[in-house]
Coordinates of all heavy atoms in Angstrom, one line a residue:
Chain A
V280 N -19.5 16.9 2.1 CA -20.9 16.9 2.4 C -21.5 18.3 1.9 O -20.9 19.3 1.8 CB -21.2 16.8 3.9 CG1 -20.7 15.5 4.5 CG2 -20.5 17.9 4.7
E281 N -22.8 18.2 1.6 CA -23.5 19.4 1.2 C -24.8 19.4 2.0 O -25.6 18.4 2.0 CB -23.8 19.4 -0.3 CG -24.4 20.6 -0.8 CD -24.6 20.6 -2.3 OE1 -23.7 20.4 -3.1 OE2 -25.8 20.6 -2.7
V282 N -25.1 20.5 2.7 CA -26.3 20.7 3.5 C -27.2 21.7 2.9 O -26.7 22.8 2.7 CB -26.0 21.0 4.9 CG1 -27.2 21.2 5.7 CG2 -25.1 20.0 5.6
Q283 N -28.3 21.3 2.4 CA -29.3 22.3 1.8 C -30.4 22.6 2.8 O -31.0 21.7 3.4 CB -29.9 21.7 0.5 CG -28.9 21.6 -0.6 CD -29.6 21.1 -1.9 OE1 -30.7 20.7 -1.8 NE2 -28.8 21.1 -2.9
V284 N -30.5 23.9 3.0 CA -31.5 24.3 3.9 C -32.7 24.9 3.1 O -32.6 25.8 2.4 CB -31.1 25.5 4.8 CG1 -32.1 25.9 5.8 CG2 -29.8 25.0 5.6
R285 N -33.9 24.1 3.2 CA -35.0 24.5 2.3 C -35.7 25.7 3.0 O -35.8 25.8 4.2 CB -36.0 23.3 2.3 CG -35.7 22.3 1.2 CD -36.8 21.4 0.9 NE -37.0 20.6 2.1 CZ -36.6 19.4 2.2 NH1 -35.9 18.8 1.2 NH2 -36.8 18.7 3.3
A286 N -36.3 26.5 2.1 CA -37.0 27.7 2.6 C -38.2 27.2 3.4 O -38.9 26.2 3.1 CB -37.5 28.5 1.4
G287 N -38.4 27.8 4.6 CA -39.5 27.5 5.4 C -39.1 26.4 6.4 O -39.9 26.1 7.4
A288 N -38.0 25.8 6.4 CA -37.6 24.8 7.4 C -37.3 25.5 8.7 O -36.7 26.7 8.7 CB -36.3 24.1 6.9
P289 N -37.6 24.9 9.8 CA -37.4 25.5 11.1 C -35.9 25.7 11.3 O -35.1 24.8 11.2 CB -38.0 24.6 12.1 CG -38.1 23.3 11.4 CD -38.2 23.5 10.0
L290 N -35.5 26.9 11.8 CA -34.0 27.1 12.0 C -33.7 26.8 13.5 O -34.5 26.9 14.4 CB -33.7 28.6 11.8 CG -33.5 28.9 10.3 CD1 -33.4 30.5 10.1 CD2 -32.3 28.3 9.7
P291 N -32.5 26.3 13.7 CA -32.1 26.1 15.1 C -32.1 27.4 15.9 O -31.8 28.4 15.4 CB -30.7 25.5 15.0 CG -30.2 26.0 13.7 CD -31.3 26.1 12.8
V292 N -32.6 27.2 17.2 CA -32.7 28.4 18.0 C -31.3 29.0 18.4 O -30.4 28.2 18.8 CB -33.4 28.1 19.3 CG1 -33.4 29.2 20.3 CG2 -34.9 27.7 19.0
Q293 N -31.1 30.2 18.1 CA -29.8 30.8 18.5 C -29.7 31.1 20.0 O -30.6 31.6 20.5 CB -29.6 32.2 17.8 CG -29.7 32.1 16.2 CD -28.4 31.5 15.7 OE1 -27.4 31.4 16.3 NE2 -28.4 31.1 14.4
T294 N -28.7 30.6 20.6 CA -28.6 30.8 22.0 C -27.4 31.7 22.4 O -26.9 31.7 23.5 CB -28.3 29.4 22.8 OG1 -27.1 28.9 22.2 CG2 -29.5 28.5 22.5
G295 N -27.0 32.5 21.4 CA -26.0 33.4 21.6 C -24.6 32.8 21.4 O -23.6 33.4 21.4
I296 N -24.6 31.5 21.1 CA -23.4 30.8 20.7 C -23.5 30.4 19.3 O -24.6 30.1 18.8 CB -23.1 29.5 21.5 CG1 -23.4 29.8 23.0 CG2 -21.8 29.0 21.3 CD1 -23.9 28.6 23.7
N297 N -22.4 30.4 18.6 CA -22.4 30.0 17.2 C -22.5 28.5 17.1 O -21.5 27.8 16.9 CB -21.2 30.5 16.4 CG -21.2 30.2 14.9 OD1 -22.3 29.7 14.4 ND2 -20.1 30.4 14.2
N298 N -23.7 28.0 17.2 CA -23.9 26.5 17.2 C -24.7 26.0 16.0 O -25.2 24.9 16.0 CB -24.6 26.1 18.5 CG -26.0 26.4 18.5 OD1 -26.4 27.3 17.8 ND2 -26.8 25.7 19.3

Side-chain angles (χ1 to χ4, degrees):
Chain A
V280 297
E281 190 180 294
V282 179
Q283 287 182 356
V284 181
R285 275 193 294 260
L290 281 172
V292 173
Q293 299 287 347
T294 58
I296 311 151
N297 183 10
N298 70 339

